[in-house]
């Protein structure tokens, strides 16, 4: 066997792959990062929509970039800056009475709303933030091993228990009562304003296969709220230069730590010899060897397609094939020849995040269609106007608009396939209602359903999180039982993508945890040792 | 092929095997039991006569309820190799081997026999149903798997005169069939597939035909067997014979991993005396390999299966095993007075190191019900070699004529 010239190969150049490669590089490993597409960044890329117009292809907000990733990779030195932090969310209403949730997760409510609602919201918001704060460490650390666990595993569990206990008696009871509830029931208890209910419920279900009344839809809100931007919990930010700036900073950090990045280099299979990963074979047939392979690709893709079921036990194969990963979010990116004319919204409103959902019930009704394999008749939208914050993204006076639309089920009934164009038209119709005349300003557009996202980015089901975020696919069960520790049954093969705990969103957290696991495993093993020590 | 259930199925939930008309005609005491959803005889006329037919003449037992899977396709060998713990690349076409298969944690799901008919066609015979497991194991393999239990009628012909029965029934060339060989024969009952296998530890054969040939096969054997004292038997007689042969049974001597509610009831092959099957060195990966390799490397087996020779003549069924008469170290999974070896024999599941490195001073506590009063006796037990009974005629080729 020839001496490997790399200590580690990272498969997949999305933000987690970049973060893992950079972190491994920082730890002294010689790393090769392989990306199938022509550019790194995966679903966090900023792309050209038309000459002079740049849009976030899929992910358009930074609300959970892990501070430890930013700090360890010194991303600020590598160019990461925010054009806006602490974005407001405005729940649009057709009657011109938008409600704005300003500050992190509606710190202040701006708009025409009853005083009693403000008081109720302040109480509920405080409670939800406290509770998600308890879960936050658990949502970022390596999930504990329940069987054969060590002291660190017990500590993680212990800290969660302690965090819950520290809430105090009343809050603890309330936490335990609520933790598995759905967001609709939670809001039914406290809030009556439709705009506010819709905005909060929307945040709970966006990116999941859940409606507001689906079980555990509060947990997904906790997941969202456990994130932070620029040091503020539950806040949302826009990087300068678009989401692609996060990718650029990660790539710069990776390159600075010696990572070799190869694009247009799709991995066809992972080499297995004597029950350990020994390298990869590219689609071109080229074979590259390294004693460590970390895959940021989907866990099922990695193990079933790249490694192959033949190297795995049936129980694990069965669990991997059962991972639910069917996306529900379509993306519509628009280039406009002028500002988007949203009713009742000033120039400042455009710099925030806009949500169109008339009511919580409207989201549930939209979900009903998805449940039965159809596109929603009345999609709910999350809209950002990146160029309003960062004018460099569009020619002067012109704009780009980035829209997430729910629900667009990945698995469609056979007769609904043709609904793709109709769904795009419905999104535009909803948009037109809130911004009359916007349609005539469109100069270019790009529309992606989950199926398109799957094709373009090799994300099974086009699911944001590489696997549904639900309680049976979270924590120690993510991606599946037996793989939650980022290690796989094959020595030298690790998972470091969003399919692993804690999940998706541009966070870098799975990569951070995976690398800490890799480095811990490497202690005492000369094979993974830093620098040239692995060479014989 | 799935038979449509008649609307009155709930009134008679146990199905009849293709041989049922013949067995029912012989049945005197209506001692039936359910085996895999089929009505099976426990005893047909007399348990002892049926047992002695196995050891002294020829016995005919209906094994149609045995679960059977057809595994075929270009990847069939690779698939069987990944599924089971033995090295299937060493199993030649026309041969059978005994094997076992495990879950991810290396716990035994079942044991059974794997028939290899050709390079690309196998049949797996076992006690439990495993279709979902077999299908999930096939992900990534070019192989077709079908349950064929209903499509194949099977008889087990066992005993010293079984060879003579087949010879006289017109199975030309049967004398050259070696143990674990499979061969197809043209007979007056149509084509019959015969393997020299069985569950008695004696000279014997298993015969497989499509269901519509079943009665013709039975009649052929029955007629040819009259001079050779053929006897139709029930499971009770077989159960004693299999214990003498030292064979274990799923559900009796170990709990199949998928049935175990209590995690500590599951057993690795090493813990039930099947360690010799596990080919850790075979080139292909197989289910449970990593767990089994780790278990072996750490010598982490928690249990072992032993054969016991127990003082006295009272069968030690369900008895506990003690070390020095005090410390509980295991339990009996099968026990009987063996009429053939004239010993009080048993199989026991022991907690290591007892039964493994600590083998002396073992005692069995036997409760015997004597006219409604239990009498308790603590008797000595000695670990002995399995099988308890292993006659030369079992493997002699050509077989002797008795």
């Amino acid at each position: 066997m020839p001496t490997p010239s790399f200590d580690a190969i990272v498969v997949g150049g999305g933000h987690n792959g970049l973060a893992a490669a950079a972190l491994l590089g920082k730890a002294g490993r010689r790393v090769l990062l392989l990306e199938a597409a022509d550019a790194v960044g995966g679903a966090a890329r900023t792309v050209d929509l038309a000459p002079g117009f740049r849009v976030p292809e899929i992910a358009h907000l930074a609300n959970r970039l892990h501070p430890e990733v930013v700090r360890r990779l010194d991303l600020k030195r590598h160019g990461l800056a925010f054009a806006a932090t602490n974005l407001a969310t405005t729940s649009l209403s057709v009657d011109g009475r938008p409600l704005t949730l300003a500050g992190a997760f509606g710190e202040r409510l701006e708009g025409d709303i009853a005083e009693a609602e403000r008081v109720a919201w302040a109480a509920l918001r405080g409670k939800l933030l406290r509770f998600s704060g308890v879960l936050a460490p658990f949502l970022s650390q390596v999930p504990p091993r329940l069987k054969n666990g060590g002291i660190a595993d017990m500590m993680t569990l212990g800290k969660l228990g302690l965090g819950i206990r520290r809430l105090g008696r009343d809050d603890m009871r309330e936490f335990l009562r609520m933790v598995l509830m759905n967001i609709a029931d939670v809001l039914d208890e406290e809030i009556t304003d439709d705009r506010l209910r819709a905005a909060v419920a929307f945040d709970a279900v966006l990116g999941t296969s859940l409606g507001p009344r689906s079980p555990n839809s509060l947990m997904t809100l906790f997941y969202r709220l456990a994130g932070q931007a620029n040091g503020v919990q539950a806040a949302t930010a826009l990087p300068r230069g678009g989401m692609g700036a996060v990718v650029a900073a990660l790539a710069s950090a990776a390159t600075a730590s010696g990572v070799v990045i190869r694009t247009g280099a799709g991995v066809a299979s992972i080499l297995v010899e004597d029950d350990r990963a020994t390298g990869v074979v590219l689609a071109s047939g080229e074979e590259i060897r390294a004693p460590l392979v970390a895959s940021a690709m989907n866990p099922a893709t990695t193990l079933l397609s790249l490694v192959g079921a033949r190297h795995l036990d049936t129980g694990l194969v069965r669990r991997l094939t059962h991972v639910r990963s069917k996306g529900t979010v379509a993306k519509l990116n628009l280039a406009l020849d002028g500002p988007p004319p949203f009713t009742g919204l000033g120039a400042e409103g455009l710099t925030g995040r806009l949500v169109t959902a008339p009511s919580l019930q409207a989201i549930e009704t939209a979900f009903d269609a998805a449940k039965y394999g159809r596109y929603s008749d009345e999609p709910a939208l999350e809209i950002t106007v990146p160029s309003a914050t960062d004018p460099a993204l569009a020619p002067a006076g012109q704009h780009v608009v980035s829209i997430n639309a729910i629900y667009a089920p990945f698995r469609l009934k056979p007769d609904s396939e043709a609904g793709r164009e109709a769904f795009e038209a419905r999104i535009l119709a909803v948009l037109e209602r809130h911004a009359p005349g916007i349609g005539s300003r469109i100069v270019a557009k790009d529309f992606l359903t989950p199926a398109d996202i799957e094709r373009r980015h090799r994300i099974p089901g086009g699911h944001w999180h590489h696997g549904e975020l639900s309680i049976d696919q979270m924590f120690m069960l993510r991606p599946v039982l037996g793989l939650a520790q980022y290690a796989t049954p094959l020595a030298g093969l690790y998972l470091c993508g969003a399919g692993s705990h804690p999940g998706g969103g541009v966070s870098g957290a799975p990569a951070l945890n995976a690398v800490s696991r890799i480095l811990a495993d490497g202690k005492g093993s000369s094979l993974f040792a830093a620098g040239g020590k692995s060479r014989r | 092929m799935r038979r449509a259930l008649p609307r009155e199925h709930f009134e008679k939930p146990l199905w009849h095997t293709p041989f049922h008309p013949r067995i029912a005609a012989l049945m005197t005491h209506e001692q039936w039991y359910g085996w895999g959803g089929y009505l099976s005889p426990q005893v047909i006329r007399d348990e002892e006569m049926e047992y002695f037919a196995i050891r002294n003449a020829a016995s005919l037992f209906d094994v149609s309820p045995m679960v059977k899977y057809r595994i075929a396709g270009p990847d069939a060998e690779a698939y069987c190799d990944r599924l089971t713990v033995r090295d299937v690349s060493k199993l030649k076409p026309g041969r059978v081997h005994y094997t076992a298969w495990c879950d991810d944690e290396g716990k035994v799901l079942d044991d059974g026999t794997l028939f290899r008919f050709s390079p690309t066609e196998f049949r797996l015979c076992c006690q439990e149903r495993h279709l979902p497991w077999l299908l999930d194991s096939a992900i990534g393999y070019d192989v077709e798997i079908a349950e064929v239990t209903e499509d194949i009628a099977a008889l087990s012909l066992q005993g010293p005169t079984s060879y003579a029965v087949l010879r006289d029934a017109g199975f030309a060339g049967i004398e050259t069939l070696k143990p674990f060989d499979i061969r197809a024969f043209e007979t007056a009952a149509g084509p019959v597939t015969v393997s020299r296998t069985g569950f008695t530890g004696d000279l014997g054969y298993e015969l497989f035909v499509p269901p519509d040939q079943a009665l013709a096969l039975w009649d052929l054997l029955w007629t040819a067997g009259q001079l050779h004292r053929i006897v139709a038997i029930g499971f009770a007689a077989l159960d004693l014979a299999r214990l003498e042969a030292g064979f274990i049974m799923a559900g009796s001597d170990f709990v199949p991993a998928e049935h175990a509610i209590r995690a500590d009831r599951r057993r690795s092959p090493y813990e039930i005396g099947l360690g010799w099957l596990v080919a850790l060195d075979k080139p292909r990966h197989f289910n449970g390999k990593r767990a089994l390799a780790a278990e072996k490397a750490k010598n982490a087996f928690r249990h072992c299966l032993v054969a016991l020779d127990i003082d006295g003549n009272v069968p030690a069924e369900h008895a506990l095993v003690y070390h020095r008469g005090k410390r509980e170290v295991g339990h009996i999974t099968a026990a009987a007075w063996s009429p053939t070896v004239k010993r009080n024999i048993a199989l026991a599941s022991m907690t290591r190191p007892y039964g493994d490195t600590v083998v002396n001073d073992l005692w069995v506590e036997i409760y015997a019900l004597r006219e409604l009063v239990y009498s308790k006796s603590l008797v000595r037990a000695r670990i002995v070699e399995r099988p308890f009974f292993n006659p030369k005629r079992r493997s002699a080729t050509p077989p002797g004529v008795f």
Side-chain angles (χ1 to χ4, degrees):
Chain A
M1 201 175 91
T3 307
S5 50
F6 292 101
D7 299 320
I9 295 170
V10 175
V11 183
H15 73 275
N16 276 311
L18 285 166
L23 289 164
L24 284 169
K26 276 236 151 188
R29 307 296 194 274
R30 288 164 308 166
V31 184
L32 172 67
L33 178 100
L34 299 170
E35 164 59 44
D38 294 336
V40 291
R45 290 192 303 187
T46 296
V47 295
D48 290 322
L49 181 57
F53 293 92
R54 291 182 58 73
V55 288
E57 190 183 20
I58 299 173
H60 64 181
L61 290 167
N63 62 357
R64 53 184 325 105
L65 191 55
H66 201 290
E68 192 63 13
V69 175
V70 177
R71 190 186 65 77
R72 280 217 230 162
L73 295 179
D74 207 357
L75 292 185
K76 290 189 173 140
R77 189 168 65 80
H78 289 285
L80 180 68
F82 290 99
T85 56
N86 231 344
L87 256 59
T89 295
T90 299
S91 186
L92 298 176
S93 80
V94 278
D95 56 7
R97 290 173 59 240
L99 177 72
T100 297
L101 289 77
F105 191 48
E107 202 176 349
R108 301 177 308 280
L109 295 181
E110 291 166 3
D112 151 35
I113 187 166
E115 189 52 34
E117 281 293 282
R118 288 181 195 275
V119 174
W121 169 244
L124 177 61
R125 175 183 178 274
K127 196 158 72 175
L128 294 178
L129 287 178
R130 279 201 304 284
F131 294 171
S132 63
V134 169
L135 286 171
F138 205 55
L139 278 169
S140 61
Q141 289 165 2
V142 175
R145 258 176 289 199
L146 295 183
K147 201 176 141 197
N148 310 323
I151 292 170
D153 299 294
M154 293 329 279
M155 287 287 283
T156 309
L157 272 180
K159 271 193 259 175
L160 175 68
L162 200 64
I164 296 172
R165 195 73 192 81
R166 277 219 195 101
L167 286 168
R169 196 185 65 177
D170 291 349
D171 252 9
M172 179 177 78
R173 282 185 185 163
E174 186 68 349
F175 174 85
L176 294 174
R177 178 183 77 88
M178 290 175 67
V179 69
L180 298 181
M181 279 175 79
N182 69 55
I183 189 62
D185 287 344
V186 171
L187 291 167
D188 281 352
E189 290 178 349
E190 319 267 357
I191 307 293
T192 55
D193 187 273
D194 267 342
R195 297 162 301 175
L196 184 54
R197 286 160 57 86
V200 176
F202 185 89
D203 279 2
V205 300
L206 181 63
T208 72
S209 276
L210 303 175
R213 297 199 186 279
S214 303
N216 309 153
S217 55
L218 179 62
M219 183 58 86
T220 47
L221 182 63
F222 282 149
Y223 179 77
R224 187 182 179 92
L225 298 182
Q228 57 94 48
N230 218 25
V232 182
Q233 190 197 347
T236 302
L238 275 176
R240 189 178 306 284
M243 281 304 281
V246 177
V247 170
L250 284 168
S252 163
T255 310
S257 62
V259 175
V260 176
I261 297 175
R262 273 183 66 181
T263 55
V267 172
S269 64
I270 291 171
L271 288 168
V272 178
E273 282 159 26
D274 286 338
D275 223 22
R276 57 176 309 129
T278 55
V280 299
V281 180
L282 301 187
S284 63
E286 185 186 344
E287 206 174 282
I288 308 170
R289 288 178 176 268
L292 176 76
V293 177
S295 172
M297 291 190 73
N298 184 275
T301 309
T302 302
L303 288 164
L304 298 181
S305 304
L306 302 187
V307 169
R310 289 174 188 230
H311 298 289
L312 307 171
D313 289 338
T314 297
L316 181 65
V317 171
R318 179 183 272 178
R319 292 196 291 276
L320 283 166
T321 56
H322 289 179
V323 172
R324 299 191 311 286
S325 183
K326 296 186 182 81
T328 57
V329 189
K331 184 76 197 288
L332 179 62
N333 292 321
L334 303 175
L336 305 181
D337 61 8
F342 285 103
T343 314
L345 207 64
E348 202 191 326
L350 286 183
T351 60
R353 177 176 167 262
L354 313 175
V355 172
T356 75
S359 65
L360 181 151
Q361 189 52 47
I363 301 173
E364 186 69 27
T365 306
F367 178 64
D368 283 344
K371 210 159 60 179
Y372 300 110
R374 291 185 293 109
Y375 290 107
S376 304
D377 292 326
E378 282 290 318
L381 312 180
E382 178 194 58
I383 306 162
T384 62
V385 187
S387 51
T389 313
D390 188 347
L393 295 172
Q398 307 190 50
H399 282 278
V400 282
V401 178
S402 165
I403 301 164
N404 281 318
I406 56 176
Y407 293 88
F410 175 74
R411 187 76 67 220
L412 292 161
K413 274 198 173 162
D415 57 349
S416 306
E417 294 285 356
R420 187 179 180 279
E421 279 73 38
F423 187 62
E424 185 187 341
R426 272 180 242 146
I427 296 170
L428 288 170
V430 171
L431 205 57
E432 194 70 31
R433 216 176 299 150
H434 291 280
I438 192 170
S440 60
R441 294 191 177 170
I442 298 171
V443 293
K445 63 183 179 184
D446 185 25
F447 181 57
L448 292 108
T449 62
D452 299 319
I453 294 173
E454 179 185 82
R455 271 192 292 277
R456 259 192 229 180
H457 291 283
R458 299 160 196 85
I459 298 173
H463 196 291
W464 281 10
H465 295 281
H466 280 271
E468 184 67 21
L469 269 188
S470 66
I471 200 79
D472 62 314
Q473 295 192 164
M474 289 173 86
F475 307 114
M476 297 77 105
L477 299 174
R478 189 168 187 85
V480 294
L481 194 67
L483 293 179
Q485 298 285 317
Y486 307 94
T488 67
L490 297 164
L493 178 64
Y494 291 83
L495 300 171
C496 64
S500 291
H501 175 83
V506 183
S507 70
L512 188 69
N513 288 347
V515 170
S516 78
R517 172 68 199 254
I518 290 168
L519 298 180
D521 281 359
K523 274 181 200 151
S525 152
S526 63
L527 207 55
F528 296 156
K533 283 184 210 156
S534 66
R535 310 179 92 164
R536 264 154 258 185
Chain B
M1 244 173 36
R2 191 89 20 222
R3 204 188 299 168
L5 286 171
R7 213 175 285 178
E8 311 76 30
H9 63 89
F10 59 90
E11 289 174 3
K12 291 209 166 186
L14 292 177
W15 284 3
H16 291 172
T17 75
F19 300 106
H20 182 78
R22 296 294 182 269
I23 297 168
L26 295 167
M27 180 63 104
T28 56
H29 285 61
E30 301 301 335
Q31 292 188 55
W32 302 95
Y33 77 112
W35 174 16
Y38 287 89
L39 192 67
S40 266
Q42 184 73 32
V43 177
I44 295 179
R45 287 195 174 169
D46 180 277
E47 181 178 340
E48 285 178 21
M49 292 305 289
E50 289 168 24
Y51 164 77
F52 281 109
I54 298 174
R55 292 291 177 233
N56 295 336
S59 65
L60 201 53
F61 182 64
D62 177 5
V63 289
S64 303
M66 183 168 64
V67 177
K68 300 175 277 289
Y69 296 101
R70 179 177 185 270
I71 298 163
D75 285 342
E77 180 190 293
Y79 169 79
C80 291
D81 217 12
R82 101 62 122 256
L83 181 74
T84 62
V85 296
R86 258 182 117 165
D87 189 344
V88 180
S89 68
K90 291 182 179 160
L91 179 65
K92 294 188 174 64
R95 297 284 292 166
V96 185
H97 72 199
Y98 172 62
T99 188
W101 48 105
C102 296
D103 64 11
D104 293 23
E105 293 171 69
K107 306 301 181 191
V108 176
L109 291 168
D110 206 353
D111 62 342
T113 45
L114 184 65
F115 290 64
R116 184 166 201 174
F117 296 110
S118 75
T120 56
E121 188 184 347
F122 292 80
R123 180 186 298 160
L124 187 64
C125 298
C126 51
Q127 181 71 17
E128 305 294 329
R129 291 183 194 269
H130 300 282
L131 193 58
W133 181 260
L134 299 192
L135 292 176
D136 286 347
S137 300
I139 293 171
Y141 291 84
D142 185 0
V143 64
E144 273 182 42
I145 295 154
E147 174 160 355
V148 291
T149 307
E150 287 173 47
D151 307 333
I152 298 167
L155 283 175
S156 180
L157 176 68
Q158 304 277 314
T161 65
S162 55
Y163 157 68
V165 173
L166 290 181
R167 183 198 57 192
D168 292 358
F171 288 71
I174 189 73
E175 67 279 359
T176 59
L177 198 71
K178 294 201 254 326
F180 298 105
D181 271 356
I182 318 165
R183 202 183 299 163
F185 291 86
E186 277 303 327
T187 72
V192 181
T193 301
V194 181
S195 62
R196 188 164 162 190
T197 51
F199 204 47
T200 60
D202 217 307
L203 172 62
Y205 303 85
E206 287 171 309
L207 301 91
F208 304 88
V209 288
D212 57 2
Q213 275 174 242
L215 295 180
L217 175 65
W218 179 284
D219 294 341
L220 179 70
L221 298 175
W222 197 252
T223 307
Q226 287 312 306
L227 274 176
H228 305 289
R229 299 274 174 173
I230 194 167
V231 173
I233 67 163
F235 176 70
L238 179 67
D239 197 23
L240 176 51
R242 72 96 189 173
L243 174 58
E244 290 176 333
F247 292 137
I248 58 169
M249 259 182 30
S252 305
D253 302 291
F254 69 95
V255 181
E258 279 189 327
H259 289 217
I261 293 167
R262 298 161 184 85
D264 68 342
R265 299 299 197 273
R266 302 171 307 159
R267 294 286 184 272
S268 83
Y270 298 111
E271 295 174 328
I272 54 172
L274 301 184
W276 64 278
L277 295 175
V278 183
L280 286 177
D281 58 346
K282 67 177 170 179
R284 293 192 184 102
H285 177 70
F286 61 93
N287 280 335
K289 178 183 178 178
R290 295 179 188 106
L292 292 170
E295 188 176 303
K296 188 156 190 228
K298 292 185 210 148
N299 195 22
F301 325 121
R302 298 176 59 182
H303 305 275
C304 62
L305 188 107
V306 297
L308 294 178
D309 184 345
I310 300 167
D311 281 358
N313 60 5
V314 183
E317 283 173 302
H318 309 297
L320 296 176
V321 183
Y322 292 89
H323 182 241
R324 293 191 173 145
K326 287 196 289 284
R327 187 190 178 97
E328 188 187 318
V329 295
H331 64 272
I332 304 286
T333 60
W337 169 258
S338 164
T340 301
V341 301
K342 305 282 189 274
R343 286 192 290 166
N344 193 20
I345 61 173
L347 297 177
S349 175
M350 307 282 281
T351 307
R352 287 181 77 227
Y354 301 97
D356 178 28
T357 51
V358 183
V359 294
N360 292 319
D361 217 349
L362 296 177
W363 299 76
V364 172
E365 191 176 45
I366 301 174
Y367 286 76
L369 188 60
R370 293 192 172 122
E371 295 181 326
L372 298 184
V373 174
Y374 273 109
S375 72
K376 186 173 91 169
S377 53
L378 201 59
V379 296
R380 281 300 287 267
R382 281 164 210 85
I383 293 177
V384 295
E385 290 287 306
R386 271 195 299 159
F388 299 101
F389 177 62
N390 190 17
K392 281 204 174 65
R393 64 178 181 248
R394 174 189 189 180
S395 48
T397 310
V401 181
F402 299 96

